[in-house]
């Protein structure tokens, strides 16, 4: 692993985001899958995005999700949907900005993304689409950090 960031445990595996950051650049990004029992690497899953920072899993959808922030210049963030059964990428969704944080609401099947061009976006795990957004203006003074 080059530059590990977020991780999650789902089933008997650990999914670790590797940003691929090297010498000031974001190169190839991966999710490294590790056996929880033996702590050995099973495989790397190539991510078609830049700078994966967050990883979470849903028992509702039986999928793993990587949230990529982009490179903060000319590559926007994405959500990458991964099958834990086949260890392959199922879908890639462009979020249209740079993700600074997230909150996952398992009981609502929703993902909230913050920092996307001064927006809070709400993404449905059911449809894998952004269905609502809230524009944060300077007077709103909303600070969301570490929400669980």
């Amino acid at each position: 692993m080059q530059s590990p960031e977020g991780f999650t445990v789902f089933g008997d595996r650990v999914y670790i985001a590797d940003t691929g950051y090297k010498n000031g650049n974001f190169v190839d990004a991966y999710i490294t899958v590790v056996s929880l029992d033996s702590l050995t690497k099973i495989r790397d899953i190539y991510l078609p995005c830049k700078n994966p920072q967050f990883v979470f899993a849903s028992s509702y959808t039986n999928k793993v999700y990587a949230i990529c922030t982009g490179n903060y210049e000319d590559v926007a963030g994405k959500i990458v949907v991964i099958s834990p059964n086949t260890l392959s990428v199922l879908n890639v969704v462009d979020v249209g900005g740079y993700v600074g944080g997230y909150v996952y609401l398992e009981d609502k099947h929703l993902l909230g993304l913050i920092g996307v061009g001064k927006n809070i976006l709400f993404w449905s795990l059911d449809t894998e689409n952004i269905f609502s957004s809230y524009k944060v203006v300077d007077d709103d003074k909303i600070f969301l950090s570490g929400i669980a």
Side-chain angles (χ1 to χ4, degrees):
M1 258 184 292
Q2 181 112 354
S3 300
E5 285 291 338
F7 73 95
T8 193
V9 175
F10 191 59
D12 61 352
R13 297 176 178 158
V14 181
Y15 298 82
I16 306 163
D18 185 351
T19 67
Y21 189 76
K22 181 178 182 179
N23 300 324
N25 294 304
F26 294 105
V27 291
D28 292 339
Y30 295 90
I31 291 291
T32 298
V33 184
V34 175
S35 166
L36 195 57
D37 296 328
S38 65
L39 297 180
T40 57
K41 180 165 92 170
I42 296 171
R43 69 174 287 192
D44 289 326
I45 303 169
Y46 172 77
L47 298 177
C49 65
K50 295 289 183 193
N51 198 13
Q53 291 288 307
F54 314 107
V55 184
F56 73 96
S58 169
S59 56
Y60 169 72
T61 62
N62 191 39
K63 295 176 183 171
V64 175
Y65 302 84
I67 303 172
C68 304
T69 64
N71 67 358
Y72 305 109
E73 291 177 15
D74 58 348
V75 178
K78 299 182 185 307
I79 301 169
V80 181
V81 184
I82 298 166
S83 166
N85 298 325
T86 62
L87 299 180
S88 61
V89 172
L90 300 173
N91 195 8
V92 180
V93 180
D94 188 357
V95 298
Y98 313 110
V99 180
Y102 82 100
V103 59
Y104 172 49
L105 305 168
E106 174 102 28
D107 61 329
K108 305 283 187 205
H109 314 153
L110 297 178
L111 175 66
L113 302 172
I114 191 164
V116 184
K118 287 196 172 185
N119 287 301
I120 298 172
L121 303 178
F122 295 96
W123 190 75
S124 167
L125 273 69
D126 291 320
T127 63
E128 294 186 357
N129 286 307
I130 294 169
F131 69 90
S132 181
S133 67
Y134 173 75
K135 182 74 171 171
V136 179
V137 295
D138 293 335
D139 292 340
D140 288 339
K141 295 182 176 66
I142 294 176
F143 299 98
L144 301 175
S145 178
I147 296 174

